[in-house]
Amino acid sequence: MNEQIGQHEQDRQGRQDLADAVDREMAACLLPDAVVRALSSWWETNAAAYADGTPGAHTVRYAPGRWAQITPWPKSLAPTSASGDAAVSRAEVAAAVADALQREAFREALVATYVWGKGKRGTPGGSGPAALREILAFAGLDATLAAAVPALREHGAPEAYAALKGQVPGLGPAFFTKFLYFTGLAVPPAHGPRPLILDRVLARRLRQIAAAVGRERGHDPDGSIAAWVWSDSNWTLHRYRIYLSFMHAAAEQLAKDTDWPSGAAPDLLECALFTTRWESPG
């Protein structure tokens, strides 16, 4: 039994060594040519909408009536009594979160970011309203959110990520990084980069880049290492640090080598990656 455990640990360490090697190669190579071309095309199409170099105009449609049982409900969102669809932009959510944080209305800030994150996927009996009700019912929610905000402000995005990970049942990284992202716009961290959203779609984009780099450099011929570290959920604190570092460096690469707006924050790249597809060679 001990020999089996020892072999398992060796295998895991070997896999981690390969993951570290792929991370180093990604940091050195950044965005492959195919991705740069795709993002340049995205910017040509969307430059007018995001002329200020931010994704503030990025708008999501949602159905307010589907969230009728959710309280507290942000006043900046359409009333839940409204019929049909409504729209809310990142800039509007950012303003709502900033206002809520000034009043220490942490639940209200979370609701605004959650509804924006779910959009039209928030069906009456689906994971949107049902999951959010369970999150809001958690007794420790207020204390957890209240602790994450000063962790972000005083220590940085990774520390705020650590303060939220695994603390609230049902609130995983895909949605608490949305809370952190909008909180970071209102309460910039004193140290390090601002938080960015990391969800399943973005993880899959990074997985595709990691697989291409790993295959080219011989560290990950079959893409299994990329699939392991850039899984669909539950990313480690280490992985979030890697993500932030990569996104900031990649944004600088785009501004230097393409028509990407100079000085644009990495959240514009996050927005672009979320909606951009490309074909990987090989």
Side-chain angles (χ1 to χ4, degrees):
M1 179 63 70
N2 288 337
E3 289 181 359
Q4 290 178 344
I5 294 174
Q7 184 60 50
H8 175 74
E9 287 301 318
Q10 289 180 12
D11 292 344
R12 190 185 187 286
Q13 185 58 51
R15 187 164 60 161
Q16 185 59 58
D17 290 343
L18 290 173
D20 292 342
V22 172
D23 286 339
R24 288 192 295 271
E25 295 292 353
M26 281 185 66
C29 301
L30 297 177
L31 299 171
D33 290 343
V35 184
V36 171
R37 289 193 297 269
L39 291 170
S40 295
S41 178
W42 180 91
W43 177 245
E44 289 177 5
T45 302
N46 293 280
Y50 305 119
D52 63 353
T54 79
H58 177 205
T59 298
V60 171
R61 298 196 66 79
Y62 65 104
R66 294 175 175 173
W67 303 85
Q69 297 182 4
I70 298 299
T71 57
W73 187 253
K75 293 181 179 179
S76 57
L77 297 179
T80 56
S81 58
S83 60
D85 291 350
V88 63
S89 69
R90 286 198 189 209
E92 290 168 331
V93 175
V97 170
D99 174 68
L101 292 179
Q102 286 184 338
R103 295 180 281 110
E104 296 188 348
F106 302 111
R107 287 169 172 256
E108 188 176 318
L110 177 64
V111 169
T113 64
Y114 199 98
V115 172
W116 177 86
K118 275 293 181 182
K120 289 295 293 290
R121 292 175 295 155
T123 56
S127 63
L132 184 55
R133 283 198 303 273
E134 292 183 4
I135 291 168
L136 293 171
F138 177 61
L141 179 63
D142 294 288
T144 301
L145 296 178
V149 175
L152 173 62
R153 180 180 60 245
E154 297 169 15
H155 302 290
E159 288 77 9
Y161 186 96
L164 286 174
K165 190 174 188 301
Q167 297 302 306
V168 179
L171 184 62
F175 278 90
F176 76 62
T177 57
K178 293 177 175 68
F179 173 80
L180 288 180
Y181 164 70
F182 285 106
T183 297
L185 296 177
V187 186
H191 308 286
R194 292 186 182 185
L196 293 172
I197 297 169
L198 176 58
D199 59 17
R200 181 176 61 180
V201 173
L202 288 157
R204 289 179 175 181
R205 300 290 191 265
L206 272 291
R207 185 191 311 167
Q208 192 175 356
I209 295 171
V213 171
R215 182 172 56 248
E216 179 182 340
R217 300 304 174 97
H219 299 299
D220 187 20
D222 61 359
S224 61
I225 298 299
W228 177 51
V229 298
W230 296 107
S231 58
D232 279 353
S233 62
N234 201 33
W235 307 283
T236 64
L237 173 58
H238 173 71
R239 189 54 31 195
Y240 191 61
R241 290 182 187 273
I242 293 291
Y243 174 68
L244 292 180
S245 177
F246 177 85
M247 293 291 283
H248 280 255
E252 294 179 1
Q253 172 197 12
L254 285 172
K256 178 181 178 181
D257 298 340
T258 71
D259 291 333
W260 197 259
S262 178
D267 56 348
L268 182 64
L269 172 58
E270 170 260 299
C271 178
L273 280 176
F274 186 87
T275 56
T276 300
R277 295 174 180 266
W278 62 87
E279 294 294 329
S280 294

